[in-house]
Amino acid sequence: MTHNSATANTANTANTADTVNAPAHTPPLHGAIDVHAHFFTARLRAAMRDAGITRPDGMPAIPDWDPKSALRHMDEVGIETAMLSVSSPGIDFGTPDAVRELARNVNDEGAELVRAHPGRFGLMASLPLPDLPASLTEAERALDELGADGIALHTHYQGHYLGDPLYEPLMELLDDRRAVVFLHPTSPQCWKDTSLGYPRPMIEFPFDTTRAAAHLILSGTLRRHPHISFVIPHAGAALPVLADRIAVFALMREDGPPVDVMADLATLHFDLAGFSLPRALPALLNLTDARHLLYGSDFPFTPDWAVEGLAHPLVDAVDPAVRADLLHGNARRLFPRLSEPRGA
């Protein structure tokens, strides 16, 4: 993994010890790998403020985040590794040059965090979409030079969802690299008409996730690129209750080849960030099996006290026979680097 002096500030402010003030109590998550964890750089915060984004997607504020407090929180709840990504609204604000530079910044600083804290952080790199040529270049740089663990993509960019043919060159690159892609929702372009004045993560995010996943399937993108491992957030959003409906309507299509919706859904991985109990997880297990489940916290948008409060019932509800796979075993298969000895 390469880095440069511009990324050193993040590492220098971080505590390079593997743990920070080990908790006195038994952490509920027991070595979990958190595939849904977010981070901010100083440059990203400044770009958001310059763009007038102080309440992202209608949330009350941009949450605080720094490496030391993140590690302290991870130790408190038992998270061994957090796979860092940039949440919505992403980095697409400013001129194209500014967006390209911001993508490089967050990826460089994320890579430096991984280097400074072996085994504690991973990186799901950001791309300067909708600039496709620049995104292809940055994806190659992130995966091949920085050693990123995967790529974070939002459900759409300026209204173009990921199953759109314009993304085909990117999907080909990711398929060739056998990349892990973490899908994250963002506000749909029509949010002013549909959000009812509430923060968009409440209703709009689950439906935008469902829309994007359905489009990946119905467009044939998943079939054309079977070596991409997609992680769908928030216990599959509305997919568990809409899967049969999508499958039936897929049979009625007059354009494109036939699609086996249920078979394609079975290839996806799902994180359990958010409120997966008491209803979402049982519904999801009617759609997939325990080997496709991953732990996710959504920290810091889900604050530390809420992460801990959600962790206890989740761990208690999961069959002990599959608990280790949910918390870390499935993620280690998805990210083989995490099975290596720490510091390797």
Side-chain angles (χ1 to χ4, degrees):
M1 180 177 298
T2 63
H3 63 282
N4 56 45
S5 59
T7 67
N9 289 340
T10 299
N12 289 341
T13 60
N15 187 321
T16 56
D18 284 342
T19 59
V20 178
N21 297 328
H25 64 283
T26 301
L29 294 175
H30 304 294
I33 295 171
D34 181 358
V35 304
H36 191 145
H38 300 305
F39 78 121
F40 292 89
T41 69
R43 185 91 165 268
L44 176 58
R45 287 184 183 278
M48 293 175 74
R49 288 194 301 268
D50 291 346
I53 300 171
T54 57
R55 295 171 54 88
D57 299 294
M59 294 295 283
I62 302 171
D64 292 331
W65 190 92
D66 66 78
K68 185 174 181 179
S69 62
L71 287 166
R72 182 181 300 109
H73 154 71
M74 290 162 61
D75 292 338
E76 284 291 324
V77 296
I79 293 171
E80 180 174 328
T81 307
M83 310 302 288
L84 302 176
S85 62
V86 173
S87 185
S88 179
I91 60 173
D92 181 23
F93 26 84
T95 66
D97 286 345
V99 175
R100 288 192 291 269
E101 183 58 30
L102 186 56
R104 291 182 65 89
N105 171 258
V106 297
N107 292 336
D108 283 344
E109 293 211 28
E112 181 65 14
L113 283 167
V114 176
R115 187 201 65 78
H117 301 278
R120 300 311 309 273
F121 291 126
L123 174 64
M124 307 302 288
S126 296
L127 302 182
L129 289 167
D131 184 338
L132 184 61
S135 294
L136 295 173
T137 298
E138 185 60 19
E140 289 183 333
R141 190 183 80 91
L143 294 170
D144 298 343
E145 297 179 26
L146 298 183
D149 295 285
I151 300 293
L153 293 179
H154 287 177
T155 45
H156 74 88
Y157 295 87
Q158 298 183 3
H160 295 284
Y161 285 80
L162 294 181
D164 193 298
L166 69 87
Y167 299 117
E168 192 65 15
L170 175 61
M171 296 301 168
E172 290 176 357
L173 184 154
L174 297 175
D175 188 74
D176 182 63
R177 298 300 197 284
R178 296 178 177 264
V180 179
V181 171
F182 171 63
L183 183 68
H184 196 280
T186 191
S187 294
Q189 290 200 308
C190 62
W191 67 265
K192 290 183 180 179
D193 298 319
T194 58
S195 65
L196 308 175
Y198 298 108
R200 278 85 79 189
M202 184 178 78
I203 294 176
E204 300 307 314
F205 274 23
F207 281 107
D208 218 57
T209 297
T210 304
R211 184 177 297 112
H215 197 210
L216 286 168
I217 293 170
L218 297 175
S219 67
T221 301
L222 289 188
R223 287 295 173 99
R224 289 193 303 276
H225 306 293
H227 300 121
I228 302 175
S229 297
F230 283 95
V231 178
I232 309 301
H234 303 128
L239 284 170
V241 295
L242 292 181
D244 295 302
R245 187 177 183 90
I246 296 168
V248 170
F249 273 81
L251 299 175
M252 300 166 58
R253 295 173 62 217
E254 297 180 356
D255 60 317
V259 176
D260 188 337
V261 171
M262 303 309 288
D264 285 352
L265 284 168
T267 69
L268 300 173
H269 303 266
F270 300 87
D271 79 45
L272 301 184
F275 304 95
S276 59
L277 291 171
R279 281 163 281 274
L281 179 55
L284 178 59
L285 287 172
N286 285 319
L287 185 67
T288 191
D289 58 50
R291 287 179 62 86
H292 288 84
L293 303 183
L294 302 161
Y295 175 73
S297 72
D298 212 347
F299 181 81
F301 284 91
T302 298
D304 51 5
W305 58 267
V307 171
E308 183 166 6
L310 292 167
H312 288 283
L314 175 63
V315 169
D316 291 343
V318 174
D319 186 329
V322 300
R323 187 178 297 154
D325 273 349
L326 164 63
L327 293 181
H328 51 77
N330 296 337
R332 292 188 195 283
R333 285 187 285 273
L334 202 57
F335 302 103
R337 177 182 72 81
L338 300 183
S339 295
E340 299 171 0
R342 187 178 291 183

